[in-house]
């Protein structure tokens, strides 16, 4: 009893300090959990984020950004992670009490013991973003087990529908263009078949498993699956899930270079889709793309090549192409089927390539030229991919805010060129995830921008420095370059400089974990 009474003041003071620290620690943990969620719950990606954002993460208090592009979503996984993180915090604060009592036993000083409690409690509060790594590592085996259950269920469902109902699966991959081709294919194929598409950029095993388990019905004739990857082997994993009969490789280029390191690794990874096709499967390749061409040439399975040049080597191609600010016209040729004139509301020559990919898949699945033509005319611009959006001040706004890359950025600038006799303005944070190429590619794009634009609004002063230097290389008027810290600030600048008839291109829109503020 005497032992307890002697330490009672420490217990009481520790209790108060720890309750306050625990309360604020759990509030503080919401921001790191949000950032971890944006990094796909991948500890390695999250650690890289921490390394690149020390100033942001080392703030004493995280202020809630009212203009978050992607707020935290409290999914079942996020809730499970938070529950485990609370437990990790409880254990950490119990250890604080143990240390505090240990110091008292060693020194006999109440002051020193309480000081230890305050210091350790503060460190736990401050380093919530580090403690989360431990929690996520602890949670991973459980999450993997849960995910595997969903995966196996979806895999079995696809197999059953293929065997019993004749379901065909169209798999689409590529460094870029795959989401656009997915939505275009849905529109065209729906002219003659019952199709189930996947929403947005669902291209991971868990995203696809959710759609298959919850939404795919046995009356569907075609299931369209987008296959994404950030490391070698991931396409195999998704292909084993969806079991594609037809595979499209849309394009290959320098994306996620910080993970893949080389273009050769990207080629090998994207080709996993073709390797996983059955022996009687059909491989479809964009033969205009220099990195895709050798993959097509080495393929032994039945192959279709599409493009806009070297027609004698192609199975599907477009010629007589006319592009303007309202869309495009072209003649579609399919060997063995004939030719037909097509028109589309999609902007840019690169979108004709996307249309050809989908037209090829439609031909393989038995649609007529007329059905394909009708589908092409109905295709709507995919959200955030060179889509025209309404404006309240008579400016023409082009939204190309989804995941920019060197090829896509140049294609967007080509579209901008088509708007003759208009002032041209760009708002961009530049390109990311290009690895060692990132600085040089952004500098090059700045040089290209200088020949197209009248005004440049660069979002993120540090990140867009190479673009700024590229513009200066071409003697672009510095008074027409605006370097801002946020999209909010960029729109304020736009309001001041824009006038009726201006064309405004929003090129790329990085998620909250890239915010420099």
């Amino acid at each position: 009893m005497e032992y307890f009474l002697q330490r009672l003041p420490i217990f009481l003071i520790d209790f108060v300090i720890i309750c306050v620290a625990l309360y604020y620690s759990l509030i503080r943990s919401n921001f790191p959990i949000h950032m971890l969620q944006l990094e796909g719950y991948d500890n390695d990606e999250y650690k890289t984020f921490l390394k690149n954002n020390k100033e942001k993460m080392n703030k004493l208090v995280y202020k809630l950004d009212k203009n978050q592009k992607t707020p935290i979503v409290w999914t079942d996984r996020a809730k499970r992670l938070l529950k485990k993180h609370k437990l990790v915090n409880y254990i950490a604060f119990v250890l604080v009490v143990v240390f505090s009592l240990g110091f008292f036993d060693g020194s006999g000083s109440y002051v020193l013991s309480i000081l230890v409690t305050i210091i350790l409690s503060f460190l736990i509060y401050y380093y919530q973003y580090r403690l989360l790594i431990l929690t996520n590592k602890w949670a991973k085996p459980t999450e993997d087990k849960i995910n595997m259950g969903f995966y196996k269920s979806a895999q079995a469902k696809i197999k059953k529908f293929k065997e019993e109902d004749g379901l065909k699966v169209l798999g689409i991959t590529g460094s870029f263009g795959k989401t656009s081709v997915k939505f275009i294919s849905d529109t065209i194929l729906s002219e003659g078949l019952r199709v189930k598409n996947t929403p947005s950029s669902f291209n991971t095993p868990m995203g696809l498993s959710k759609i298959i388990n919850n939404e795919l019905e046995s009356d569907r004739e075609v299931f369209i699956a987008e296959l994404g990857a950030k490391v070698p082997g991931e396409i195999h994993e998704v292909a084993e899930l969806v079991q594609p009969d037809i595979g499209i490789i849309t394009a290959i280029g320098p994306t996620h270079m910080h993970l893949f390191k080389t273009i050769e690794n990207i080629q090998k990874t994207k080709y996993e889709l073709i390797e996983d096709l059955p022996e009687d499967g059909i491989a479809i390749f964009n033969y205009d793309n220099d990195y895709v061409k050798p993959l097509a040439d080495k393929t032994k399975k039945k192959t279709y090549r599409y493009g806009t040049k070297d027609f004698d080597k192609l199975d599907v191609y477009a010629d007589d192409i006319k592009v303007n600010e309202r869309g495009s016209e072209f003649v579609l040729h399919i060997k063995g089927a004939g030719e037909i004139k097509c028109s589309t509301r999609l902007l840019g020559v690169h979108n004709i390539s996307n249309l050809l990919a989908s037209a090829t898949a439609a031909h393989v699945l038995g649609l007529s030229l007329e059905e394909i033509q009708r589908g092409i005319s109905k295709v709507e611009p995919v959200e955030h991919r060179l889509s025209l959006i309404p404006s309240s001040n008579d400016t023409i706004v082009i939204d190309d805010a989804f995941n920019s890359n060197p090829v896509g950025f140049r294609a967007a600038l080509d579209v901008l060129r088509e708007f003759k006799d208009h002032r041209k303005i760009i708002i961009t944070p530049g390109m990311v995830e290009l690895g060692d190429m990132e600085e040089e590619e952004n500098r090059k794009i700045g040089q290209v921008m200088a020949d197209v634009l009248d005004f440049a609004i660069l979002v993120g002063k540090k990140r867009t420095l190479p673009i700024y230097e590229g513009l200066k290389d071409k003697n672009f008027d510095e008074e027409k370059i605006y370097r801002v810290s946020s999209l909010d600030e960029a729109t304020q600048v736009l309001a001041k400089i824009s006038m009726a008839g201006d064309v405004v291109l929003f090129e790329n829109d990085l998620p909250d974990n890239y915010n420099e503020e």
Side-chain angles (χ1 to χ4, degrees), residues 208-316:
L208 288 166
S209 293
K210 180 180 178 182
I211 298 301
I212 293 165
N213 286 327
N214 298 340
E215 299 182 22
L216 182 62
E217 302 292 342
S218 60
D219 67 339
R220 297 297 91 183
E221 295 173 292
V222 180
F223 176 61
I224 304 174
E226 176 184 342
L227 289 77
K230 290 187 175 181
V231 294
E234 285 189 344
I235 296 288
H236 278 313
E237 184 182 1
V238 186
E240 286 173 9
L241 168 66
V242 301
Q243 304 152 62
D245 303 284
I246 304 165
I248 301 175
I249 299 184
T250 60
I252 289 173
T255 56
H256 302 305
M257 289 297 287
H258 64 304
L259 299 171
F260 282 112
K261 307 302 181 187
T262 67
I263 287 287
E264 289 74 22
N265 284 338
I266 298 177
Q267 288 176 298
K268 289 175 186 175
T269 302
K270 301 306 179 185
Y271 196 71
E272 289 170 12
L273 169 59
I274 309 305
E275 292 172 337
D276 287 328
L277 293 174
E279 284 307 309
D280 60 349
I282 295 173
I284 300 172
F285 297 95
N286 176 4
Y287 211 64
D288 284 349
N289 184 276
D290 289 337
Y291 297 120
V292 174
K293 193 178 291 185
L295 302 183
D297 291 342
K298 75 174 185 178
T299 301
K300 300 291 188 269
K301 293 167 184 171
K302 186 169 178 56
T303 299
Y304 281 80
R305 297 167 172 84
Y306 67 88
T308 56
K309 53 191 178 184
D310 297 330
F311 299 147
D312 57 316
K313 298 177 182 177
L314 303 178
D315 302 286
V316 178

Side-chain angles (χ1 to χ4, degrees), residues 307-458:
T308 56
K309 53 191 178 184
D310 297 330
F311 299 147
D312 57 316
K313 298 177 182 177
L314 303 178
D315 302 286
V316 178
Y317 63 91
D319 63 8
D320 293 332
I321 297 170
K322 297 179 180 67
V323 178
N324 58 42
E325 70 269 23
R326 294 179 300 278
S328 310
E329 291 181 354
F330 61 94
V331 176
L332 170 66
H333 300 259
I334 301 178
K335 283 187 179 177
E339 63 182 60
I340 195 165
K341 189 171 183 179
C342 299
S343 62
T344 177
R345 280 170 277 183
L346 300 186
L347 299 172
V349 173
H350 74 291
N351 264 321
I352 293 177
S353 176
N354 293 334
L355 289 165
L356 291 175
S358 300
T360 307
H363 170 67
V364 167
L365 287 164
L367 269 68
S368 68
L369 279 173
E370 290 71 25
E371 287 172 319
I372 294 170
Q373 177 198 50
R374 195 163 58 243
I376 288 173
S377 70
K378 293 179 180 179
V379 170
E380 296 285 346
V382 180
E383 188 179 21
H384 305 311
R385 292 164 176 85
L386 281 178
S387 56
L388 289 171
I389 58 176
S391 166
S392 59
N393 62 350
D394 293 324
T395 56
I396 302 165
V397 179
I398 302 173
D399 178 4
D400 195 40
F402 186 85
N403 279 5
S404 191
N405 58 75
V407 174
F409 205 133
R410 283 172 172 79
L413 292 173
D414 286 341
V415 168
L416 212 53
R417 287 182 210 270
E418 295 298 326
F419 288 82
K420 309 287 195 296
D421 303 319
H422 293 266
R423 295 197 316 168
K424 302 169 187 67
I425 304 169
I426 193 170
I427 297 177
T428 184
M431 300 173 289
V432 297
E433 297 186 347
L434 298 180
D436 294 338
M437 304 166 62
E438 187 168 302
E439 186 174 330
E440 181 61 24
E441 288 296 330
N442 275 297
R443 187 174 192 126
K444 287 178 182 176
I445 211 70
Q447 294 168 352
V448 177
M449 285 165 56
D451 294 329
V452 180
L453 301 173
D454 295 287
F455 296 92
I457 304 174
L458 308 180

Side-chain angles (χ1 to χ4, degrees), residues 33-80:
I33 289 173
H34 183 198
M35 296 301 105
L36 179 63
Q37 186 179 71
L38 291 174
E39 297 296 346
Y41 299 100
D42 186 309
N43 263 356
D44 290 335
E45 288 282 284
Y46 178 65
K47 287 175 185 175
T48 301
F49 165 77
L50 295 181
K51 182 181 176 182
N52 295 333
N53 293 271
K54 291 177 182 177
E55 188 177 330
K56 181 190 294 187
M57 299 307 295
N58 287 334
K59 288 180 179 178
L60 189 60
V61 177
Y62 300 135
K63 292 182 180 178
L64 179 64
D65 183 2
K66 294 179 182 178
N67 298 309
Q68 286 179 349
K69 302 182 188 80
T70 311
I72 189 168
V73 181
W74 287 107
T75 59
D76 289 342
R77 178 169 187 170
K79 290 174 184 176
R80 289 192 297 268

Side-chain angles (χ1 to χ4, degrees), residues 478-490:
E478 192 161 0
E479 291 186 4
K480 294 183 177 180
I481 304 173
Y482 297 86
R483 302 170 69 200
V484 299
S485 299
S486 67
L487 185 58
D488 228 18
E489 195 179 337

